[in-house]
Amino acid sequence: MGSRKKVHAFVRVRPTDDFAHEMIKYRDDNKTIDIHLKKDTRRGVVNNQQTDWSFKLDRVLHDASQDLVYETVAKDVVSQALNGFNGTIMCYGQTGAGKTYTMTGATENYKHRGILPRALQQVFRMIEERPTHAITVRVSYLEIYNESLFDLLSTLPYVGPSATPMTIVENPQGVFIKGLSVHLTSQEEDAFSLLFEGETNRIIASHTMNKNSSRSHCIFTIYVEARSRTLSDEKYVTSKINLVDLAGSERLGKSRSEGRVLKEATYINKSLSFLEQAIIALGDQKRDHIPFRQCKLTHALKDSLGGNCNMVLVTNIYGEAAQLEETLSSLRFASRMKLVTTEPAINEKYDAERMVKNLEKELALLKQELAIHDSLANRTLVNYDPMDEIQIAEINSQVRRYLEGTLEEIDWAQLAQVQGVLSLCLPSQQEQEVESTLRRKYTLIDKNDYAAISAVQKAGLVDADGHLVGEPDGQGFGLGVAPFSIKPGKKSKSKKMFKEQLSSSARKEGASSPLSGKDLDVSTSKTQMILSSKDGDVKDMLVRDRETSNTEPLASDSPKEELRPPRPSTPPTKPVAFEDFKNERGSEINRIFKENKSILNERRKRASETTQRINAIKREIDMTKEALNLQKSLREKQGEYENKGLMIIDEEEFLLILKLKDLKKQYRTEHQDLCDLRAEVQYCQHLVDQCRHRLLTEFDIWYNESFFVPEDLQMALKPGGGIRPGMMPLNKIVSLGEDDQDRFGQLQQTMLPEGPDSVSFYNAKVKMEQKHNYVKTMMGLQQAHRK
Ligand code: ADP
Ligand code: MG
C-alpha cells in the first residue's frame, strides 16, 4: 500500500497450427519473447535493418487455458478491489488475436468464459466470505465507437448516437460518464444477465448500424462499495474494476480502407495512438501533464490509467509469421506499458451519518460515566445539559448572596454548573474562596429563596413543604434560645453514640444547675425511657432499611421488568424519567423513603413544638427570677427579717421560689425531650439520607440500563438470551440433513456439465437467448415489412 508498482504486462498468444517457430522464441523464464526477422535481401548489400528484438514482460501465456489466464492476470486485481483499490485490465492487440475471447470469452461455453464473468463470480464469492461487510455491486457497460459513447446496458430501445448524448464528467471523486446507466446487482446471475445483454446489444448495434464491432472499445465496469456491518466503523471503501476490450490495433496502411471504413480506421488509430501517448507520458516520471482529454477513450479512463490503481495489460498476438509486423508493434506497446508505475491507494470515504451517530453514542456513554462518578461522589441528579438563562441568573444570585453573607451555602446540586459560571462572574480570589466552600459536601438551600426551591423541587430533591429532602430544618429549632450541646448537621452517628452524647449533655446540665443529684438521676433514666419508648418506630425503620438493602438483585428477575416500556429513540430527561422510575422499579424504595420522611417530619414537628415550650418556660423562668430579685431587694431595703441569723422570707417570695424550682424542673424535662427528639431526628435523617441515596443510585442504574445499554448487550444479558434477531435458529440448520445437501449437489452435477458453479451462467444465458431470439424475430418482421 502506498508503494509504487509497475503495470503488469502479459502476452497471450492465439493458438495456431502454423506457429512461426523460427521467428518467435520464448526464453525459459516464461517472460521473455525474442523475435527474429529474416533480412530483407531486396534492400541491397548494405543493410542496417534491425532483425532481432527482445521483450521482457511479466509472463508469456502460450496455450494457456482461460482458467490460467484469469489466475495470472485478473485474480489479484479483483480481490484488491474489494479492499478498496481501483483496478484496470485491458486487452490490446490486432483484430482476431483474441482480445474478446480473453475478456468476455465464449458465451456459449461455461468453460471458455473469459475474465469478465469470472471477475463477477469472484466478487460475489468474496462477498459471501465477508459476512462482516455489507458490499454492493453495480455494473455498467460502455462502448466507444467513432468518438461516440453508447450505453450497452441502456434499457431504452436502441435509437442511435443522436439520442441523449452521454458526456464525460470530471469531479474530485474521479471521472464518470453522465447518462450511462449503472445497474445494481445483488447476485451472480443478475450480473451475468447484464453482461450477456451488453454483449447482445453490441452485436445488434453493429448489425443495425452496420458497424464493425471489432473497431469499438468496450469498457465493462464493476463498482464495489464495502461497508463494515459494525456501525462504529465510519470508514467505507469504494472501488471500480474497469475491464477494457480495446479495438483492433492494426495500422491503417495495411488494410486498404476506403470511405466509411477508412474513417473508422482513422478514428481507431487515433484513439489508440492517444492511448499510447498517454501511456508514454505516464511512464515518463518527468512529465506532469498527461494528455487524457485528447480522445474519449483516454478521457473516460483518466482515473483508471496509472495513478492509484492496479493496472494490467494483456497483449494478444498471433503466432503466425504473416502477422509478425503487427505482433512486433503490439509487443512494443506492451513494453512501453511496463514502464508505467502506479501508486495503488485505497479509496476510503467517511460515512457522515455514522460519524454523527457514533458521536452521539460516545456522548451518551460519557454522560453515563459522569453519572456513575456523580453517584459515587454522592452527587446524584446533577444535570449536564446546557443551562438556560434563568438557571444562570439563579446561580449568579446564589453566589452573590453567599459572598454578601446572606446565604449560608450554595445548592450543591448545581455545583458542576456553578463552577462553569464562576469564571464568568467572579474575580479569582473570591472564586477560590467560593470554590473551596463549594467543595464541602452537604449544604442547605436558603429558605427564602423561592426560585431555588422551585428549581430543586422540579429536580425531585425537595419535598412539597420546601424541605430539602432529608435535610435538618435549621430554623425550626430556635437555636438562639435554648442552649444545646449537640450541634445539628453531624450525620451518620450510631444510635449508641447519640445515647452517650445525650447522657453526657444531661450530666453537664445537671452539674451547672442548682438541682440535686437525685434529680439528675431521674432525668437520665427518663432519657433512656424515652428512647426505648420510641424504639418501636426506630426498629420498624431499621427493618425497612434492611429490606431495602436486600432488594439489590431487583434488576433482571423482577416481574416489573416486563412492564418496562419500549425504549424511546431519545431518552427522556432525568426529572421525567425519575417520575416513571418512582412508579416502576423504584416504587418500593420510594414508598419506604416517603414513610421514613413522614416519620422524620413528624419528629421534627414535635421537636419544634418542644422548643417553643422550652422557650416559653425560659421566658417564665426569667420573669420569675426578676420578680424574686425584686422581692429580695425590697426585703433587704426594709432589713426587717434579719434576726438571729435566720433568714425569714414572706410567702410571696416563697411561692416564687417554688415556682422557679418547678419551672426549672419543667425546663429540664422538656429539654431532655428535645434532646431525645433531636437524636431521633438525626437518626431518621440518616435513614432518609440512605433511602434517598439508594433511590437515586437505583434510579441511575435503571436510567442507564433503560436508555443507554446497547440492545444486543441487553439481549445477551437476558436469561436464555444470546440469539439476535436475524440469526437462524439451530433447529432450522439441523433440519436440512447432510443427505439432502448431497442429493442436491449430485442433482446439479448431473444436470450441468461444469457442476453447480455454472448454474447462474447458463440460467442467464438461456434468458438472454430467449430475448435475443425475440429481437431477431422482430428485426426479421421489420425487414419483411419494409420489402
Ligand atoms: P479480437 O477480439 O481480438 O478481435 P477474438 O477474441 O474475437 O479476437 O478472436 C477471434 C477468434 O479466435 C474467435 O473465434 C475466438 O474464439 C478465437 N480465439 C482467440 N483466442 C483464442 C484462444 N486462446 N483459444 C481459442 N480460441 C481463440
Ligand atoms: Mg473483439
Side-chain angles (χ1 to χ4, degrees):
M1 269 175 249
S3 59
R4 296 190 74 82
K5 209 172 163 181
K6 291 251 184 255
V7 170
H8 287 261
F10 301 97
V11 176
R12 188 182 196 186
V13 189
R14 192 188 143 169
T16 171
D17 297 332
D18 190 21
F19 187 77
H21 291 284
E22 310 266 288
M23 297 172 175
I24 305 169
K25 289 202 163 70
Y26 309 130
R27 290 201 199 158
D28 290 343
D29 62 0
N30 263 339
K31 289 180 179 176
T32 315
I33 294 190
D34 292 328
I35 305 284
H36 173 75
L37 205 69
K38 278 182 204 142
K39 276 197 177 174
D40 191 345
T41 46
R42 285 171 298 173
R43 289 207 179 189
V45 190
V46 182
N47 192 344
N48 291 328
Q49 190 189 2
Q50 189 181 350
T51 54
D52 290 283
W53 293 266
S54 188
F55 299 95
K56 190 172 178 185
L57 302 157
D58 288 285
R59 176 137 182 201
V60 178
L61 297 155
H62 185 88
D63 270 339
S65 68
Q66 295 283 65
D67 247 337
L68 179 67
V69 169
Y70 186 77
E71 292 281 322
T72 316
V73 166
K75 203 181 174 191
D76 284 351
V77 177
V78 174
S79 70
Q80 286 276 63
L82 263 82
N83 295 329
F85 294 93
N86 286 346
T88 302
I89 302 171
M90 289 200 291
C91 285
Y92 180 94
Q94 200 181 345
T95 297
K99 297 182 296 295
T100 306
Y101 183 80
T102 301
M103 199 46 92
T104 311
T107 48
E108 54 283 337
N109 194 321
Y110 180 73
K111 205 180 156 194
H112 296 151
R113 71 201 187 283
I115 290 172
L116 251 165
R118 284 169 202 263
L120 289 169
Q121 280 178 308
Q122 191 188 337
V123 166
F124 284 103
R125 295 285 141 80
M126 286 177 76
I127 289 172
E128 269 173 38
E129 285 161 15
R130 281 192 205 189
T132 52
H133 285 73
I135 302 172
T136 55
V137 181
R138 289 178 172 83
V139 299
S140 68
Y141 208 171
L142 175 75
E143 187 181 27
I144 303 173
Y145 184 76
N146 279 359
E147 284 299 280
S148 293
L149 307 171
F150 298 94
D151 184 354
L152 290 177
L153 296 178
S154 165
T155 45
L156 300 162
Y158 189 76
V159 278
S162 58
T164 52
M166 287 184 278
T167 46
I168 300 169
V169 182
E170 279 182 58
N171 66 14
Q173 277 83 51
V175 176
F176 72 99
I177 318 293
K178 204 177 142 193
L180 179 69
S181 63
V182 180
H183 303 258
L184 183 72
T185 56
S186 53
Q187 52 183 339
E188 215 176 270
E189 193 181 313
D190 294 347
F192 285 155
S193 295
L194 288 164
L195 168 63
F196 294 145
E197 171 145 354
E199 292 301 321
T200 311
N201 284 344
R202 205 169 152 185
I203 295 159
I204 294 170
S206 72
H207 276 281
T208 50
M209 284 188 74
N210 248 339
K211 70 180 183 190
N212 186 340
S213 68
S214 75
R215 312 234 157 159
S216 67
H217 313 287
C218 289
I219 306 170
F220 190 90
T221 309
I222 307 172
Y223 309 81
V224 181
E225 193 178 290
R227 280 163 203 267
S228 161
R229 290 196 198 270
T230 0
L231 213 73
S232 59
D233 208 341
E234 291 154 4
K235 278 185 277 184
Y236 69 98
V237 294
T238 60
S239 62
K240 53 181 178 182
I241 312 168
N242 282 302
L243 302 162
V244 190
D245 184 354
L246 291 168
S249 62
E250 57 276 2
R251 283 167 305 165
L252 192 61
K254 203 158 187 223
S255 62
R256 273 187 216 93
S257 311
E258 274 169 39
R260 188 182 46 76
V261 183
L262 179 76
K263 191 185 164 204
E264 278 168 7
T266 318
Y267 271 122
I268 289 151
N269 270 344
K270 240 190 187 167
S271 62
L272 280 180
S273 66
F274 285 140
L275 176 67
E276 205 166 338
Q277 280 177 32
I279 299 285
I280 290 166
L282 282 165
D284 183 354
Q285 310 252 337
K286 282 170 245 145
R287 288 277 291 268
D288 52 3
H289 174 73
I290 315 292
F292 282 120
R293 301 182 70 156
Q294 284 173 313
C295 67
K296 295 279 194 292
L297 177 70
T298 50
H299 198 189
L301 291 174
K302 188 182 170 180
D303 61 358
S304 305
L305 292 174
N308 67 350
C309 56
N310 288 305
M311 223 169 111
V312 171
L313 177 81
V314 180
T315 304
N316 293 93
I317 56 166
Y318 279 98
E320 284 99 348
Q323 310 295 336
L324 205 65
E325 222 171 307
E326 286 300 333
T327 298
L328 256 177
S329 127
S330 293
L331 290 171
R332 280 196 200 105
F333 181 81
S335 46
R336 270 198 288 279
M337 193 68 146
K338 246 194 91 58
L339 295 176
V340 178
T341 50
T342 64
E343 215 166 329
I346 297 179
N347 298 299
E348 243 171 9
K349 285 168 188 165
Y350 282 88
D351 189 323
E353 209 175 298
R354 277 194 189 186
M355 272 165 89
V356 170
K357 270 191 189 141
N358 285 332
L359 286 173
E360 278 172 352
K361 227 165 139 187
E362 199 180 319
L363 193 68
L365 272 170
L366 289 172
K367 276 187 178 174
Q368 200 179 341
E369 208 167 286
L370 258 178
I372 291 165
H373 278 288
D374 283 338
S375 69
L376 286 174
N378 240 341
R379 282 177 296 163
T380 27
L381 281 188
V382 180
N383 184 17
Y384 289 102
D385 293 335
M387 286 183 291
D388 55 32
E389 278 170 35
I390 299 165
Q391 284 173 306
I392 293 170
E394 170 48 35
I395 288 163
N396 277 337
S397 111
Q398 279 200 39
V399 171
R400 220 171 294 118
R401 278 183 288 122
Y402 173 84
L403 291 171
E404 285 162 4
T406 52
L407 177 65
E408 212 170 298
E409 289 194 62
I410 292 167
D411 173 20
W412 65 268
Q414 293 171 3
L415 179 76
Q417 294 161 343
V418 172
Q419 285 174 328
V421 176
L422 280 174
S423 54
L424 298 174
C425 63
L426 291 175
S428 66
Q429 197 207 330
Q430 282 173 318
E431 190 177 311
Q432 280 173 4
E433 191 193 319
V434 173
E435 266 196 320
S436 71
T437 316
L438 289 173
R439 287 191 202 290
R440 272 184 261 140
K441 218 172 81 181
Y442 242 54
T443 58
L444 279 170
I445 273 191
D446 187 350
K447 294 278 166 193
N448 303 315
D449 194 345
Y450 299 108
I453 289 168
S454 76
V456 181
Q457 224 165 12
K458 260 186 230 148
L461 280 165
V462 169
D463 62 23
D465 310 330
H467 294 291
L468 188 63
V469 175
E471 286 293 336
D473 185 346
Q475 285 197 330
F477 285 100
L479 284 169
V481 188
F484 295 135
S485 55
I486 304 169
K487 292 245 154 61
K490 282 180 191 164
K491 290 168 184 301
S492 66
K493 281 194 177 159
S494 71
K495 195 176 166 189
K496 198 181 158 227
M497 273 174 80
F498 284 126
K499 256 192 201 167
E500 281 166 6
Q501 228 170 338
L502 276 169
S503 31
S504 78
S505 74
R507 238 173 269 124
K508 253 190 239 159
E509 279 293 318
S512 62
S513 87
L515 292 175
S516 68
K518 203 189 160 203
D519 281 335
L520 181 75
D521 285 341
V522 169
S523 65
T524 311
S525 63
K526 204 185 164 199
T527 305
Q528 276 156 355
M529 200 187 73
I530 290 164
L531 272 174
S532 56
S533 80
K534 281 159 189 170
D535 253 311
D537 288 350
V538 174
K539 244 184 242 151
D540 194 12
M541 281 194 286
L542 266 173
V543 170
R544 268 187 255 115
D545 189 45
R546 227 173 279 131
E547 277 170 4
T548 321
S549 320
N550 286 342
T551 52
E552 216 124 50
L554 248 171
S556 63
D557 52 3
S558 157
K560 278 176 186 161
E561 191 70 8
E562 270 69 64
L563 295 174
R564 184 193 288 171
R567 189 200 297 202
S569 54
T570 46
T573 60
K574 278 208 167 184
V576 171
F578 190 54
E579 288 311 308
D580 288 347
F581 173 74
K582 282 195 287 190
N583 295 326
E584 254 185 65
R585 202 208 276 181
S587 64
E588 184 61 7
I589 310 167
N590 192 41
R591 189 185 60 76
I592 295 165
F593 175 59
K594 271 192 189 154
E595 262 182 56
N596 281 353
K597 227 164 65 179
S598 73
I599 294 169
L600 175 68
N601 285 339
E602 191 267 334
R603 297 292 188 275
R604 272 188 185 156
K605 210 174 140 209
R606 265 162 56 183
S608 153
E609 283 162 8
T610 310
T611 309
Q612 276 169 22
R613 278 201 301 278
I614 288 175
N615 290 340
I617 293 167
K618 179 84 165 90
R619 276 196 294 276
E620 252 198 289
I621 287 174
D622 289 345
M623 272 153 63
T624 313
K625 271 184 181 168
E626 253 174 59
L628 204 62
N629 284 342
L630 196 71
Q631 287 284 327
K632 235 184 185 175
S633 61
L634 270 172
R635 182 170 36 85
E636 278 167 6
K637 268 186 195 160
Q638 287 163 6
E640 41 190 66
Y641 302 112
E642 282 177 297
N643 289 324
K644 295 169 195 175
L646 274 173
M647 196 177 75
I648 299 160
I649 49 169
D650 65 12
E651 206 191 321
E652 208 180 335
E653 200 181 342
F654 179 70
L655 285 174
L656 278 174
I657 290 169
L658 278 183
K659 191 188 172 186
L660 190 63
K661 200 185 171 187
D662 191 48
L663 279 171
K664 280 191 174 175
K665 203 180 165 185
Q666 266 186 53
Y667 179 87
R668 185 157 308 282
T669 312
E670 292 284 359
H671 183 239
Q672 281 308 329
D673 275 354
L674 186 62
C675 286
D676 290 341
L677 278 168
R678 280 203 43 74
E680 241 191 286
V681 162
Q682 280 195 319
Y683 187 77
C684 292
Q685 181 71 68
H686 182 63
L687 287 183
V688 167
D689 281 349
Q690 275 189 337
C691 278
R692 183 187 48 189
H693 181 68
R694 182 157 193 93
L695 185 66
L696 297 180
T697 313
E698 289 274 5
F699 166 68
D700 265 350
I701 293 166
W702 174 86
Y703 186 78
N704 292 328
E705 261 180 23
S706 306
F707 304 110
F708 296 107
V709 176
E711 249 150 33
D712 48 356
L713 186 60
Q714 282 189 340
M715 296 284 277
L717 289 171
K718 268 193 180 167
I723 292 183
R724 268 173 280 128
M727 269 185 157
M728 194 193 267
L730 200 63
N731 57 356
K732 279 242 170 112
I733 300 168
V734 172
S735 72
L736 186 68
E738 271 177 40
D739 282 358
D740 294 335
Q741 285 173 356
D742 272 2
R743 235 177 289 140
F744 179 69
Q746 280 163 9
L747 195 73
Q748 284 200 322
Q749 262 164 11
T750 49
M751 280 171 69
L752 301 160
E754 278 90 20
D757 280 0
S758 61
V759 175
S760 44
F761 185 86
Y762 284 114
N763 277 350
K765 174 117 193 83
V766 167
K767 276 183 201 161
M768 187 44 57
E769 268 161 10
Q770 284 168 348
K771 196 175 166 183
H772 196 180
N773 287 340
Y774 172 77
V775 172
K776 262 191 191 158
T777 316
M778 291 306 282
M779 277 165 65
L781 280 173
Q782 270 181 341
Q783 273 174 352
H785 185 73
R786 252 182 252 135
K787 275 176 192 165

